[in-house]
Structures are given as C-alpha cells and as structure tokens.
Amino acid sequence: MIGCSSEPERILWLNGRFAPLSQASISPLDRGFLYGDGVFETMRAEKGSILYLKDHLERMFDSLAALRIDSLPELNWHELATELVKRNNLCNQVASLKIIVTRGSCQGAGLPVCQSPTVCISAQKYHAPGQEVYQRGWRLQAAPQGFAPPLARHKSLNYLYFMLARQQALDDGADEALILDSQGNIAETSAGSILAKT
C-alpha cells in the first residue's frame, strides 16, 4: 500500500493493473462497448472509507449472475478500492468510486460465455450540488415516453433510456426525470432512488 500523494493524472484499475487514464484501453470488440453488455456500481467514499461496499457488491454479483457474466478473477475489492482512492489523492475528501464489469470480447448469439470479462474500477472527486440546490429542492418531471425497462432492476450499461428521460426533463426546465413502471407507479429517477419518509 502507498500513502496519499499528488498524481498528475487519474489512475484506474483495469483488468489486473493500475494505470493512468491515458494508458487505459479496452478492445473495440468488447461487448460492453458494442452492446452495453455489462453492469456497473457507483459508490461513495469518505475519508478513504468505501460506504456500503458489501451491499453494492452483492447487487453487482446478483446482476452478473442474471446476465450470465462469470469467470471473474478472485479480487479483494475492498483493498483495490481503498488503494485506488489513495492513488488518486482522495483520502481526505468525498469521492465517487465506480466499478464496471462487461462480458468482455467474444463472439456468439445471445449471452455467450466469455473467458475474460473486462473489469474496471475508477475514482474521482465527488462534486455535491450547491447549498442552494438543497434548499430549493429539485423539480421532477415524469418521463413522458415509455416506462422502466425490464433491466431496470440491474445497474446495466444499457442506460440510454434513462439518459433520454433526463434530457427531456432538462429541456422542459426540470432537474430530474421520474421513471414510472408499467402500471404508472413511480419506480425511481433517471439517476437515483426514491426514498419516502413515513
């Protein structure tokens, strides 16, 4: 392990090694790039500690199993995430940590078995909304077209529906899009969960 130090460029962990962002690359045949065939988890880190890592990993592995993405190497996720925060000099601030796993590069119809999934972990400083946003709150708009897609229960890389819904909300002067389920009930927002205080 190393201590916090100033790094001139963001450091990622990609397929077994730490690398500067400018040296990180994946194959153009990676199914995550071609089809959005993969999952992600975004976590918060505070003062070097990763919040709810176990819960995020549980959800990620449930989604990977549902999408039949396996053959992941045995990894010490906590150690990797903590080291990445250190290498990016984020120990003493709030950071956003993201894990992306794709099926990797292989051919086949449906959900083929790839022997080497792509695994990437990145970290960056978290930019919280300003105090005025917390005081004012966010204007929400129900997405006018469609409803939560079948993969919505997984944090899949197929995120275009949510991005389109968010952009429509922004175009209409709102801050965020409410995503409805097929029965018209509120399911989530385009980028977050709905929490209700009872």
Side-chain angles (χ1 to χ4, degrees):
M1 294 291 205
I2 62 171
C4 282
S5 60
S6 179
E7 291 288 344
E9 186 177 3
R10 273 179 67 193
I11 303 296
L12 307 176
W13 187 90
L14 177 63
N15 291 336
R17 69 183 188 97
F18 292 98
L21 181 60
S22 63
Q23 296 177 24
S25 63
I26 63 167
S27 167
L29 299 180
D30 190 287
R31 289 177 63 93
F33 174 72
L34 292 175
Y35 309 115
D37 188 357
V39 301
F40 74 95
E41 285 291 330
T42 306
M43 293 151 283
R44 183 181 177 108
E46 292 182 359
K47 297 181 180 178
S49 177
I50 317 303
L51 305 186
Y52 308 110
L53 177 61
K54 180 177 178 290
D55 298 310
H56 281 284
L57 290 174
E58 226 171 75
R59 179 170 63 178
M60 183 181 80
F61 279 105
D62 284 348
S63 294
L64 288 170
L67 299 177
R68 303 182 191 182
I69 297 175
D70 51 23
S71 301
L72 259 69
E74 288 289 328
L75 299 173
N76 185 327
W77 296 94
H78 181 266
E79 186 176 300
L80 286 174
T82 302
E83 180 70 7
L84 195 61
V85 167
K86 288 180 180 179
R87 288 185 184 229
N88 283 284
N89 200 27
L90 298 168
C91 294
N92 299 312
Q93 52 193 302
V94 178
S96 171
L97 196 78
K98 188 168 190 174
I99 300 174
I100 297 175
V101 180
T102 78
R103 191 174 304 277
S105 300
C106 62
Q107 296 183 351
L111 302 175
V113 175
C114 293
Q115 296 305 314
S116 299
T118 295
V119 182
C120 179
I121 312 173
S122 62
Q124 63 183 359
K125 183 177 179 181
Y126 173 69
H127 298 282
Q131 190 60 39
E132 71 282 356
V133 174
Y134 286 104
Q135 292 172 348
R136 172 179 61 81
W138 271 17
R139 295 176 295 267
L140 301 177
Q141 172 180 290
Q145 296 179 339
F147 49 85
L151 286 177
R153 63 189 175 133
H154 305 292
K155 302 291 283 185
S156 84
L157 298 180
N158 291 280
Y159 224 65
L160 196 55
Y161 169 77
F162 299 99
M163 294 167 65
L164 286 167
R166 179 76 176 272
Q167 188 59 56
Q168 182 65 58
L170 294 172
D171 290 347
D172 292 343
D175 298 299
E176 175 62 293
L178 280 174
I179 308 299
L180 308 179
D181 66 16
S182 57
Q183 281 78 47
N185 300 310
I186 295 173
E188 58 185 329
T189 70
S190 70
S193 302
I194 299 289
L195 302 175
K197 189 174 182 181
T198 57

